[in-house]
Coordinates of all heavy atoms in Angstrom, one line a residue:
M103 N -12.6 -42.3 -5.6 CA -12.8 -40.9 -5.7 C -11.6 -40.1 -5.5 O -10.9 -40.3 -4.5 CB -13.9 -40.4 -4.7 CG -15.3 -41.0 -5.0 SD -16.5 -40.3 -3.8 CE -16.0 -41.0 -2.3
L104 N -11.3 -39.3 -6.5 CA -10.1 -38.5 -6.4 C -10.5 -37.2 -5.7 O -11.4 -36.5 -6.1 CB -9.6 -38.1 -7.8 CG -8.3 -37.3 -7.9 CD1 -7.1 -38.0 -7.2 CD2 -8.0 -37.0 -9.3
R105 N -9.8 -36.9 -4.6 CA -10.1 -35.7 -3.8 C -9.0 -34.7 -4.0 O -7.9 -35.0 -4.4 CB -10.2 -36.1 -2.3 CG -11.3 -37.0 -2.0 CD -11.6 -37.0 -0.5 NE -12.7 -37.9 -0.3 CZ -14.0 -37.6 -0.3 NH1 -14.3 -36.3 -0.5 NH2 -14.9 -38.4 0.0
A106 N -9.3 -33.4 -3.6 CA -8.4 -32.3 -3.8 C -7.1 -32.5 -3.0 O -6.0 -32.1 -3.5 CB -9.1 -31.0 -3.4
K107 N -7.2 -33.1 -1.9 CA -5.9 -33.3 -1.1 C -5.0 -34.3 -1.8 O -3.8 -34.1 -1.7 CB -6.2 -33.8 0.3 CG -6.9 -35.1 0.5 CD -7.2 -35.4 2.0 CE -8.3 -36.4 2.2 NZ -8.6 -36.5 3.6
K108 N -5.5 -35.2 -2.6 CA -4.6 -36.1 -3.4 C -4.0 -35.3 -4.5 O -2.8 -35.5 -4.8 CB -5.5 -37.2 -3.9 CG -4.7 -38.3 -4.6 CD -3.9 -39.1 -3.5 CE -3.4 -40.4 -4.1 NZ -2.6 -41.2 -3.2
I109 N -4.7 -34.3 -5.1 CA -4.1 -33.5 -6.1 C -3.0 -32.6 -5.5 O -1.9 -32.4 -6.1 CB -5.2 -32.7 -6.8 CG1 -6.2 -33.6 -7.5 CG2 -4.6 -31.6 -7.8 CD1 -7.4 -32.9 -8.0
C110 N -3.2 -32.1 -4.3 CA -2.2 -31.3 -3.6 C -1.0 -32.2 -3.3 O 0.2 -31.7 -3.5 CB -2.7 -30.8 -2.3 SG -3.8 -29.4 -2.4
A111 N -1.2 -33.4 -3.0 CA 0.0 -34.3 -2.7 C 0.8 -34.5 -4.0 O 2.0 -34.5 -4.0 CB -0.5 -35.7 -2.2
Y112 N 0.1 -34.7 -5.2 CA 0.7 -34.8 -6.5 C 1.5 -33.6 -6.8 O 2.7 -33.7 -7.2 CB -0.4 -35.1 -7.5 CG 0.2 -35.1 -8.9 CD1 0.8 -36.3 -9.4 CD2 0.1 -34.0 -9.7 CE1 1.3 -36.3 -10.7 CE2 0.6 -34.0 -11.0 CZ 1.2 -35.2 -11.5 OH 1.7 -35.2 -12.8
V113 N 0.9 -32.4 -6.6 CA 1.7 -31.2 -6.9 C 2.9 -31.1 -6.0 O 4.0 -30.7 -6.4 CB 0.7 -30.0 -6.7 CG1 1.5 -28.7 -6.8 CG2 -0.4 -30.0 -7.8
A114 N 2.7 -31.4 -4.7 CA 3.9 -31.3 -3.8 C 5.0 -32.2 -4.2 O 6.2 -31.8 -4.1 CB 3.4 -31.6 -2.4
E115 N 4.7 -33.4 -4.7 CA 5.8 -34.3 -5.2 C 6.5 -33.7 -6.3 O 7.7 -34.0 -6.5 CB 5.2 -35.6 -5.7 CG 4.7 -36.5 -4.6 CD 4.0 -37.8 -5.1 OE1 4.0 -38.0 -6.3 OE2 3.5 -38.5 -4.3
R116 N 5.9 -32.9 -7.1 CA 6.5 -32.3 -8.3 C 7.3 -31.1 -8.0 O 8.3 -30.7 -8.7 CB 5.5 -31.9 -9.4 CG 4.7 -33.1 -9.9 CD 5.6 -34.1 -10.6 NE 4.9 -35.2 -11.1 CZ 4.8 -36.4 -10.5 NH1 5.4 -36.7 -9.4 NH2 4.1 -37.4 -11.1
I117 N 7.0 -30.3 -7.0 CA 7.7 -29.0 -6.7 C 8.7 -29.1 -5.6 O 9.5 -28.2 -5.5 CB 6.7 -27.9 -6.3 CG1 5.9 -28.2 -5.1 CG2 5.8 -27.6 -7.5 CD1 5.0 -27.1 -4.6
E118 N 8.8 -30.2 -4.9 CA 9.8 -30.4 -3.8 C 10.3 -31.8 -3.7 O 9.5 -32.7 -3.9 CB 9.3 -29.9 -2.5 CG 8.1 -30.6 -1.9 CD 7.7 -30.1 -0.6 OE1 8.5 -29.5 0.1 OE2 6.5 -30.3 -0.3
P119 N 11.5 -32.0 -3.5 CA 12.0 -33.4 -3.3 C 11.5 -34.0 -2.1 O 11.3 -33.4 -1.1 CB 13.5 -33.2 -3.2 CG 13.7 -31.8 -2.7 CD 12.6 -31.0 -3.3
Q120 N 11.1 -35.3 -2.2 CA 10.6 -36.1 -1.1 C 11.7 -36.7 -0.3 O 12.6 -37.4 -0.9 CB 9.6 -37.2 -1.6 CG 8.4 -36.6 -2.4 CD 7.6 -35.7 -1.6 OE1 7.2 -36.0 -0.5 NE2 7.3 -34.5 -2.1
P121 N 11.7 -36.5 1.0 CA 12.8 -37.1 1.9 C 12.6 -38.6 1.9 O 11.5 -39.2 1.8 CB 12.6 -36.5 3.2 CG 11.1 -36.1 3.2 CD 10.8 -35.7 1.8
E122 N 13.7 -39.3 2.1 CA 13.7 -40.8 2.2 C 13.0 -41.2 3.5 O 12.2 -42.2 3.5 CB 15.1 -41.3 2.3 CG 15.8 -41.3 0.9 CD 17.1 -42.1 0.9 OE1 17.3 -43.0 1.8 OE2 18.0 -41.7 0.1
H123 N 13.2 -40.5 4.6 CA 12.6 -40.7 5.9 C 11.7 -39.5 6.3 O 12.2 -38.6 6.9 CB 13.6 -41.0 7.0 CG 14.5 -42.1 6.6 ND1 14.1 -43.4 6.5 CD2 15.8 -42.1 6.2 CE1 15.1 -44.2 6.1 NE2 16.2 -43.4 5.9
P124 N 10.4 -39.5 5.9 CA 9.6 -38.3 6.2 C 9.4 -38.1 7.7 O 9.3 -39.0 8.5 CB 8.3 -38.6 5.5 CG 8.3 -40.1 5.1 CD 9.7 -40.5 5.2
D125 N 9.4 -36.8 8.0 CA 9.2 -36.4 9.4 C 7.7 -36.5 9.8 O 6.9 -35.9 9.0 CB 9.7 -34.9 9.6 CG 9.5 -34.4 11.0 OD1 9.3 -35.2 11.9 OD2 9.6 -33.2 11.2
P126 N 7.4 -37.2 10.8 CA 5.9 -37.4 11.1 C 5.2 -36.1 11.5 O 4.0 -36.0 11.3 CB 5.9 -38.4 12.3 CG 7.3 -38.7 12.6 CD 8.2 -38.0 11.7
S127 N 6.0 -35.1 11.9 CA 5.4 -33.8 12.3 C 5.4 -32.8 11.1 O 5.0 -31.7 11.3 CB 6.1 -33.2 13.5 OG 7.5 -32.9 13.1
A128 N 5.8 -33.2 10.0 CA 5.9 -32.4 8.8 C 4.4 -32.0 8.4 O 3.5 -32.8 8.5 CB 6.6 -33.0 7.7
L129 N 4.3 -30.8 7.7 CA 3.0 -30.4 7.2 C 2.6 -31.3 6.1 O 3.4 -31.7 5.2 CB 3.1 -29.0 6.7 CG 3.2 -27.9 7.8 CD1 3.5 -26.5 7.1 CD2 2.0 -27.8 8.7
K130 N 1.3 -31.6 6.0 CA 0.7 -32.3 4.8 C 0.6 -31.3 3.7 O 0.4 -30.1 3.9 CB -0.6 -32.9 5.2 CG -0.5 -33.9 6.3 CD -1.9 -34.4 6.7 CE -1.8 -35.4 7.8 NZ -3.1 -35.7 8.3
P131 N 0.6 -31.8 2.4 CA 0.5 -30.9 1.3 C -0.7 -30.0 1.3 O -0.7 -28.8 1.0 CB 0.5 -31.8 0.1 CG 1.3 -33.0 0.5 CD 0.9 -33.1 2.0
E132 N -1.9 -30.5 1.8 CA -3.1 -29.7 1.8 C -3.0 -28.6 2.9 O -3.9 -27.7 2.9 CB -4.3 -30.6 2.0 CG -4.4 -31.4 3.3 CD -3.8 -32.8 3.2 OE1 -3.1 -33.1 2.3 OE2 -4.2 -33.5 4.1
E133 N -2.0 -28.7 3.8 CA -1.9 -27.7 4.8 C -1.1 -26.5 4.4 O -1.2 -25.4 5.0 CB -1.3 -28.3 6.1 CG -2.1 -29.3 6.8 CD -1.5 -30.1 7.9 OE1 -0.2 -30.1 8.0 OE2 -2.2 -30.6 8.7
Y134 N -0.3 -26.7 3.3 CA 0.5 -25.5 2.8 C 0.3 -25.2 1.4 O 0.8 -24.2 0.9 CB 2.0 -25.8 3.1 CG 2.7 -26.9 2.4 CD1 3.2 -26.8 1.1 CD2 2.8 -28.2 3.0 CE1 3.8 -27.8 0.5 CE2 3.4 -29.2 2.4 CZ 3.9 -29.0 1.1 OH 4.5 -30.1 0.5
L135 N -0.5 -26.0 0.7 CA -0.9 -25.6 -0.7 C -2.4 -25.4 -0.8 O -3.2 -26.1 -0.1 CB -0.5 -26.8 -1.7 CG 0.9 -27.0 -1.9 CD1 1.1 -28.2 -2.8 CD2 1.6 -25.8 -2.6
E136 N -2.8 -24.4 -1.6 CA -4.2 -24.2 -1.8 C -4.5 -24.4 -3.3 O -3.8 -24.1 -4.2 CB -4.6 -22.7 -1.5 CG -4.3 -22.4 -0.1 CD -4.6 -20.9 0.2 OE1 -4.6 -20.1 -0.7 OE2 -4.7 -20.6 1.4
L137 N -5.7 -25.0 -3.6 CA -6.2 -25.3 -4.9 C -7.3 -24.3 -5.2 O -8.2 -24.1 -4.3 CB -6.7 -26.7 -5.1 CG -5.6 -27.8 -5.2 CD1 -6.3 -29.1 -5.4 CD2 -4.7 -27.6 -6.4
Y138 N -7.3 -23.8 -6.4 CA -8.4 -22.9 -6.9 C -9.0 -23.4 -8.2 O -8.2 -23.9 -9.0 CB -7.9 -21.5 -7.1 CG -7.5 -20.8 -5.8 CD1 -6.2 -20.9 -5.3 CD2 -8.4 -20.0 -5.2 CE1 -5.9 -20.2 -4.1 CE2 -8.1 -19.3 -4.0 CZ -6.9 -19.4 -3.4 OH -6.5 -18.8 -2.3
C139 N -10.3 -23.3 -8.3 CA -11.0 -23.6 -9.5 C -12.0 -22.5 -9.8 O -12.8 -22.2 -8.9 CB -11.7 -25.0 -9.4 SG -12.6 -25.5 -10.9
Q140 N -11.9 -21.9 -11.0 CA -12.8 -20.7 -11.3 C -12.7 -19.6 -10.2 O -13.7 -19.1 -9.8 CB -14.3 -21.2 -11.4 CG -14.6 -22.2 -12.5 CD -14.5 -21.6 -13.9 OE1 -13.5 -21.2 -14.3 NE2 -15.6 -21.7 -14.5
D141 N -11.5 -19.4 -9.7 CA -11.2 -18.4 -8.7 C -11.9 -18.6 -7.4 O -12.0 -17.7 -6.5 CB -11.6 -17.0 -9.2 CG -10.7 -16.5 -10.4 OD1 -9.6 -16.9 -10.4 OD2 -11.3 -15.8 -11.2
K142 N -12.2 -19.9 -7.1 CA -12.8 -20.3 -5.8 C -11.9 -21.3 -5.1 O -11.4 -22.2 -5.7 CB -14.2 -21.0 -6.0 CG -15.2 -20.0 -6.6 CD -16.5 -20.8 -6.8 CE -17.5 -19.8 -7.4 NZ -18.7 -20.5 -7.8
L143 N -11.6 -21.0 -3.8 CA -10.8 -21.9 -3.0 C -11.5 -23.3 -2.9 O -12.7 -23.3 -2.6 CB -10.5 -21.3 -1.7 CG -9.6 -22.1 -0.7 CD1 -8.2 -22.3 -1.3 CD2 -9.6 -21.5 0.6
V144 N -10.8 -24.4 -3.2 CA -11.3 -25.7 -3.2 C -10.9 -26.4 -1.8 O -9.8 -26.4 -1.4 CB -10.8 -26.5 -4.3 CG1 -11.2 -28.0 -4.3 CG2 -11.1 -25.9 -5.7
S145 N -11.9 -26.9 -1.1 CA -11.7 -27.6 0.1 C -10.9 -28.9 -0.2 O -11.1 -29.6 -1.2 CB -13.0 -28.0 0.7 OG -12.9 -28.9 1.8
P146 N -10.0 -29.3 0.7 CA -9.2 -30.5 0.5 C -10.1 -31.8 0.4 O -9.6 -32.8 -0.2 CB -8.3 -30.6 1.7 CG -8.2 -29.2 2.2 CD -9.5 -28.6 1.9
N147 N -11.3 -31.8 0.9 CA -12.1 -33.0 0.9 C -13.0 -33.0 -0.3 O -13.8 -34.0 -0.5 CB -12.9 -33.1 2.2 CG -12.1 -33.4 3.4 OD1 -11.1 -34.2 3.2 ND2 -12.3 -32.8 4.5
T148 N -13.0 -32.0 -1.2 CA -13.8 -32.0 -2.4 C -13.4 -33.0 -3.4 O -12.2 -33.1 -3.6 CB -13.8 -30.6 -3.0 OG1 -14.2 -29.6 -2.0 CG2 -14.7 -30.5 -4.2
T149 N -14.3 -33.7 -4.0 CA -13.9 -34.7 -5.0 C -13.8 -34.0 -6.4 O -14.4 -32.9 -6.6 CB -14.9 -35.8 -5.1 OG1 -16.2 -35.3 -5.5 CG2 -15.1 -36.6 -3.8
L150 N -13.1 -34.6 -7.3 CA -13.0 -34.1 -8.6 C -14.4 -34.1 -9.3 O -14.7 -33.2 -10.1 CB -12.0 -34.9 -9.4 CG -11.5 -34.3 -10.7 CD1 -10.9 -32.9 -10.5 CD2 -10.5 -35.2 -11.4
A151 N -15.2 -35.1 -9.0 CA -16.6 -35.1 -9.6 C -17.4 -33.9 -9.1 O -18.2 -33.3 -9.9 CB -17.2 -36.4 -9.3
T152 N -17.3 -33.6 -7.9 CA -18.0 -32.4 -7.3 C -17.5 -31.1 -7.9 O -18.3 -30.3 -8.3 CB -17.8 -32.4 -5.8 OG1 -18.3 -33.6 -5.2 CG2 -18.6 -31.2 -5.2
L153 N -16.2 -31.0 -8.1 CA -15.6 -29.8 -8.8 C -16.2 -29.7 -10.2 O -16.7 -28.6 -10.6 CB -14.1 -30.0 -8.9 CG -13.3 -29.6 -7.8 CD1 -11.8 -29.9 -8.1 CD2 -13.4 -28.1 -7.5
R154 N -16.2 -30.8 -10.9 CA -16.8 -30.7 -12.3 C -18.2 -30.3 -12.3 O -18.7 -29.6 -13.2 CB -16.5 -32.1 -13.0 CG -17.0 -32.1 -14.5 CD -16.7 -33.3 -15.2 NE -15.3 -33.5 -15.5 CZ -14.7 -32.8 -16.6 NH1 -15.4 -32.0 -17.3 NH2 -13.5 -33.0 -16.9
A155 N -19.0 -30.9 -11.4 CA -20.5 -30.6 -11.4 C -20.9 -29.3 -10.9 O -21.8 -28.7 -11.4 CB -21.2 -31.7 -10.6
Y156 N -20.2 -28.8 -9.9 CA -20.7 -27.6 -9.2 C -19.9 -26.3 -9.4 O -20.3 -25.2 -9.2 CB -20.9 -27.8 -7.7 CG -22.0 -28.9 -7.4 CD1 -21.6 -30.2 -7.1 CD2 -23.3 -28.6 -7.6 CE1 -22.6 -31.1 -6.9 CE2 -24.3 -29.5 -7.4 CZ -23.9 -30.8 -7.0 OH -24.9 -31.8 -6.8
I157 N -18.6 -26.5 -9.7 CA -17.7 -25.3 -9.9 C -17.3 -25.1 -11.3 O -17.5 -24.1 -11.9 CB -16.5 -25.4 -8.9 CG1 -16.9 -25.5 -7.5 CG2 -15.5 -24.2 -9.2 CD1 -15.8 -25.7 -6.5
W158 N -16.8 -26.2 -12.0 CA -16.4 -26.1 -13.3 C -17.6 -26.6 -14.2 O -17.7 -27.7 -14.6 CB -15.2 -27.1 -13.6 CG -14.6 -26.9 -14.9 CD1 -14.9 -27.7 -16.0 CD2 -13.6 -26.0 -15.4 NE1 -14.1 -27.3 -17.1 CE2 -13.4 -26.2 -16.7 CE3 -13.0 -24.9 -14.8 CZ2 -12.5 -25.5 -17.5 CZ3 -12.1 -24.2 -15.5 CH2 -11.8 -24.5 -16.8
K159 N -18.4 -25.7 -14.5 CA -19.7 -26.0 -15.2 C -19.5 -26.0 -16.7 O -20.5 -26.4 -17.4 CB -20.8 -25.0 -14.8 CG -21.1 -25.1 -13.3 CD -22.1 -24.2 -12.9 CE -22.4 -24.4 -11.4 NZ -23.4 -23.5 -10.9
T160 N -18.4 -25.6 -17.3 CA -18.2 -25.6 -18.7 C -17.7 -27.0 -19.1 O -17.2 -27.8 -18.3 CB -17.3 -24.5 -19.1 OG1 -16.0 -24.7 -18.5 CG2 -17.8 -23.2 -18.7
G161 N -17.7 -27.3 -20.4 CA -17.1 -28.5 -20.9 C -15.6 -28.5 -20.9 O -15.0 -27.5 -20.6
G162 N -15.0 -29.6 -21.3 CA -13.5 -29.7 -21.4 C -12.9 -30.0 -20.1 O -13.5 -30.5 -19.1
D163 N -11.5 -29.9 -20.1 CA -10.7 -30.2 -19.0 C -11.0 -29.3 -17.8 O -11.2 -28.1 -18.0 CB -9.3 -30.2 -19.3 CG -8.9 -31.3 -20.3 OD1 -9.6 -32.3 -20.4 OD2 -7.8 -31.2 -20.9
V164 N -10.9 -29.8 -16.6 CA -11.0 -29.0 -15.4 C -9.6 -28.4 -15.2 O -8.6 -29.1 -15.2 CB -11.4 -29.8 -14.2 CG1 -11.4 -29.0 -12.9 CG2 -12.8 -30.4 -14.4
V165 N -9.6 -27.1 -15.0 CA -8.3 -26.4 -14.8 C -8.2 -26.0 -13.3 O -9.1 -25.3 -12.8 CB -8.1 -25.1 -15.7 CG1 -6.8 -24.4 -15.4 CG2 -8.2 -25.6 -17.1
L166 N -7.2 -26.4 -12.6 CA -7.0 -26.1 -11.2 C -5.7 -25.2 -11.1 O -4.7 -25.5 -11.9 CB -6.8 -27.3 -10.4 CG -8.0 -28.3 -10.3 CD1 -7.7 -29.5 -9.6 CD2 -9.2 -27.6 -9.7
Y167 N -5.7 -24.3 -10.2 CA -4.5 -23.5 -9.9 C -4.1 -23.8 -8.5 O -5.0 -23.9 -7.6 CB -4.8 -22.0 -10.1 CG -5.2 -21.7 -11.5 CD1 -6.5 -21.6 -11.9 CD2 -4.2 -21.5 -12.5 CE1 -6.8 -21.3 -13.3 CE2 -4.5 -21.2 -13.8 CZ -5.8 -21.1 -14.2 OH -6.1 -20.8 -15.5
Y168 N -2.8 -23.8 -8.2 CA -2.3 -24.0 -6.9 C -1.4 -22.9 -6.5 O -0.8 -22.2 -7.3 CB -1.6 -25.3 -6.7 CG -0.3 -25.5 -7.5 CD1 0.9 -25.1 -7.0 CD2 -0.3 -26.0 -8.8 CE1 2.1 -25.2 -7.7 CE2 0.8 -26.1 -9.6 CZ 2.0 -25.7 -9.0 OH 3.2 -25.8 -9.8
K169 N -1.4 -22.6 -5.2 CA -0.4 -21.6 -4.7 C -0.1 -22.0 -3.2 O -0.9 -22.7 -2.6 CB -1.0 -20.2 -4.8 CG -2.1 -19.8 -3.9 CD -2.4 -18.4 -4.0 CE -3.3 -17.9 -2.9 NZ -3.5 -16.5 -2.9
S170 N 1.0 -21.5 -2.7 CA 1.3 -21.7 -1.3 C 0.6 -20.7 -0.5 O 0.3 -19.6 -0.9 CB 2.8 -21.5 -1.2 OG 3.2 -21.5 0.2
N171 N 0.2 -21.2 0.7 CA -0.5 -20.3 1.6 C 0.4 -19.6 2.6 O 0.0 -18.9 3.5 CB -1.6 -21.0 2.4 CG -1.1 -22.2 3.2 OD1 0.0 -22.3 3.5 ND2 -2.1 -23.0 3.7
G172 N 1.8 -19.9 2.5 CA 2.8 -19.2 3.3 C 3.1 -20.0 4.5 O 4.0 -19.6 5.3
R173 N 2.5 -21.1 4.8 CA 2.8 -21.9 6.0 C 4.1 -22.7 5.9 O 4.7 -23.1 6.9 CB 1.7 -22.9 6.3 CG 0.4 -22.1 6.8 CD -0.6 -23.1 7.3 NE -0.2 -23.7 8.5 CZ -0.8 -24.8 9.0 NH1 -1.8 -25.3 8.4 NH2 -0.3 -25.3 10.1
K174 N 4.6 -22.8 4.6 CA 5.9 -23.5 4.4 C 6.7 -22.7 3.5 O 6.7 -22.8 2.3 CB 5.6 -24.9 3.8 CG 6.8 -25.8 3.8 CD 6.4 -27.2 3.4 CE 7.6 -28.2 3.5 NZ 7.3 -29.5 3.1
P175 N 7.6 -21.8 4.1 CA 8.3 -20.8 3.3 C 9.2 -21.3 2.2 O 9.4 -20.7 1.2 CB 9.1 -19.9 4.3 CG 8.5 -20.3 5.6 CD 7.8 -21.6 5.5
E176 N 9.8 -22.5 2.4 CA 10.7 -23.1 1.5 C 10.1 -23.4 0.2 O 10.7 -23.6 -0.9 CB 11.5 -24.2 2.0 CG 10.7 -25.4 2.5 CD 10.3 -25.3 4.0 OE1 10.4 -24.3 4.6 OE2 9.9 -26.3 4.5
V177 N 8.8 -23.6 0.1 CA 8.0 -23.9 -1.1 C 7.8 -22.6 -1.9 O 7.8 -22.7 -3.1 CB 6.7 -24.6 -0.8 CG1 5.8 -24.8 -2.0 CG2 6.9 -25.9 -0.1
E178 N 7.7 -21.5 -1.2 CA 7.4 -20.2 -1.9 C 8.4 -20.0 -3.1 O 8.0 -19.5 -4.1 CB 7.5 -19.0 -0.9 CG 6.4 -19.0 0.0 CD 5.1 -18.4 -0.6 OE1 5.2 -17.6 -1.5 OE2 4.0 -18.8 -0.1
G179 N 9.7 -20.2 -2.9 CA 10.7 -20.0 -3.9 C 10.6 -20.9 -5.1 O 11.1 -20.6 -6.1
R180 N 9.9 -22.0 -5.0 CA 9.8 -23.0 -6.1 C 8.6 -22.7 -7.0 O 8.5 -23.2 -8.1 CB 9.7 -24.4 -5.5 CG 10.9 -24.8 -4.8 CD 10.8 -26.3 -4.5 NE 12.0 -26.7 -3.7 CZ 12.1 -26.9 -2.4 NH1 11.0 -26.6 -1.7 NH2 13.2 -27.2 -1.8
L181 N 7.7 -21.8 -6.6 CA 6.6 -21.5 -7.3 C 6.8 -20.3 -8.2 O 6.6 -19.1 -7.8 CB 5.3 -21.2 -6.4 CG 4.9 -22.4 -5.5 CD1 3.8 -22.0 -4.6 CD2 4.6 -23.6 -6.3
T182 N 7.3 -20.5 -9.4 CA 7.6 -19.4 -10.3 C 7.0 -19.7 -11.7 O 6.6 -20.8 -12.0 CB 9.1 -19.2 -10.5 OG1 9.6 -20.5 -11.0 CG2 9.8 -18.9 -9.2
G183 N 7.0 -18.6 -12.5 CA 6.5 -18.8 -13.9 C 5.0 -19.0 -14.0 O 4.5 -19.7 -14.9
K184 N 4.2 -18.2 -13.3 CA 2.8 -18.3 -13.4 C 2.3 -17.7 -14.7 O 2.8 -16.7 -15.2 CB 2.1 -17.6 -12.2 CG 2.2 -16.1 -12.2 CD 1.4 -15.5 -11.1 CE 1.4 -14.0 -11.1 NZ 0.7 -13.4 -12.3
P185 N 1.3 -18.4 -15.3 CA 0.8 -17.9 -16.6 C 0.0 -16.6 -16.3 O -0.5 -16.4 -15.2 CB -0.2 -19.0 -17.1 CG 0.3 -20.2 -16.3 CD 0.9 -19.7 -15.0
L186 N -0.2 -15.8 -17.4 CA -1.0 -14.5 -17.2 C -2.4 -14.8 -16.9 O -3.0 -15.8 -17.4 CB -0.9 -13.7 -18.5 CG 0.5 -13.2 -18.9 CD1 0.5 -12.5 -20.2 CD2 1.0 -12.2 -17.8
G187 N -3.0 -13.9 -16.1 CA -4.4 -14.1 -15.8 C -4.7 -15.0 -14.6 O -5.9 -15.2 -14.3
D188 N -3.7 -15.5 -14.0 CA -4.0 -16.4 -12.9 C -4.0 -15.6 -11.6 O -3.5 -14.5 -11.5 CB -2.8 -17.5 -12.8 CG -2.8 -18.4 -14.0 OD1 -3.9 -18.5 -14.7 OD2 -1.8 -19.1 -14.2
P189 N -4.6 -16.2 -10.5 CA -4.5 -15.6 -9.2 C -3.0 -15.4 -8.8 O -2.2 -16.2 -9.2 CB -5.2 -16.6 -8.3 CG -6.1 -17.4 -9.2 CD -5.4 -17.4 -10.5
P190 N -2.7 -14.4 -8.0 CA -1.3 -14.1 -7.6 C -0.7 -15.4 -7.0 O -1.3 -16.0 -6.1 CB -1.4 -13.0 -6.6 CG -2.7 -12.3 -6.9 CD -3.6 -13.4 -7.5
G191 N 0.4 -15.8 -7.5 CA 1.2 -16.9 -6.9 C 0.6 -18.3 -7.4 O 1.0 -19.3 -6.9
A192 N -0.3 -18.3 -8.3 CA -0.9 -19.6 -8.7 C -0.3 -20.2 -10.0 O 0.3 -19.5 -10.8 CB -2.4 -19.3 -9.0
E193 N -0.3 -21.5 -10.1 CA 0.2 -22.2 -11.2 C -1.0 -23.0 -11.8 O -1.8 -23.5 -11.0 CB 1.3 -23.2 -10.8 CG 2.4 -22.6 -10.1 CD 3.3 -21.8 -11.1 OE1 3.4 -22.1 -12.3 OE2 3.9 -20.8 -10.6
G194 N -1.1 -23.2 -13.1 CA -2.2 -23.9 -13.7 C -1.9 -25.4 -13.8 O -0.8 -25.8 -14.2
V195 N -2.9 -26.2 -13.5 CA -2.8 -27.7 -13.6 C -4.1 -28.2 -14.2 O -5.1 -28.2 -13.6 CB -2.6 -28.3 -12.2 CG1 -2.5 -29.8 -12.4 CG2 -1.4 -27.8 -11.5
P196 N -4.1 -28.5 -15.5 CA -5.3 -29.1 -16.1 C -5.5 -30.6 -15.7 O -4.5 -31.3 -15.7 CB -5.1 -28.9 -17.6 CG -3.6 -28.9 -17.8 CD -3.0 -28.3 -16.5
F197 N -6.7 -30.9 -15.4 CA -7.1 -32.3 -15.1 C -8.2 -32.7 -15.9 O -9.1 -32.1 -16.2 CB -7.4 -32.5 -13.6 CG -6.2 -32.6 -12.7 CD1 -5.6 -31.4 -12.2 CD2 -5.6 -33.8 -12.5 CE1 -4.5 -31.5 -11.4 CE2 -4.4 -33.8 -11.7 CZ -3.9 -32.7 -11.1

């Protein structure tokens, strides 16, 4: 089962370089990134199947938006170029 926290980890890998030796006290991606589907905040434990069934009720690809919640300021500068019509600070990720 693919969970929202795994999607946050995927997004984090794409927007910031991964250190060779990660700090054990570093924030997890789901602690500083938020996912939105249909303008609703998605819990990190929500599965993609649950999203499709209960939030994304239309056909086609599920579209998720991510944004920083401000807990990791160095990520804020990397989130640019949001498409029109998205929540403030959000980026679109179709799945």
Side-chain angles (χ1 to χ4, degrees):
M103 291 185 291
L104 182 62
R105 296 196 181 270
K107 62 182 160 186
K108 190 71 168 179
I109 297 169
C110 283
Y112 173 82
V113 170
E115 286 177 6
R116 299 297 181 259
I117 62 174
E118 63 180 335
Q120 299 300 310
E122 286 187 28
H123 306 289
D125 181 12
S127 64
L129 291 173
K130 296 176 184 173
E132 64 268 17
E133 294 174 340
Y134 63 88
L135 290 175
E136 296 175 343
L137 284 179
Y138 290 88
C139 182
Q140 300 286 63
D141 295 329
K142 295 179 185 172
L143 181 62
V144 176
S145 167
N147 291 323
T148 303
T149 65
L150 194 55
T152 302
L153 277 173
R154 182 174 285 282
Y156 296 104
I157 298 174
W158 187 265
K159 296 180 181 180
T160 61
D163 292 340
V164 174
V165 178
L166 299 173
Y167 296 95
Y168 64 90
K169 73 174 191 172
S170 173
N171 63 11
R173 292 188 66 194
K174 193 169 183 180
E176 57 269 15
V177 173
E178 287 283 332
R180 294 187 183 101
L181 300 179
T182 59
K184 69 175 184 67
L186 294 175
D188 294 342
E193 302 288 331
V195 180
F197 280 91

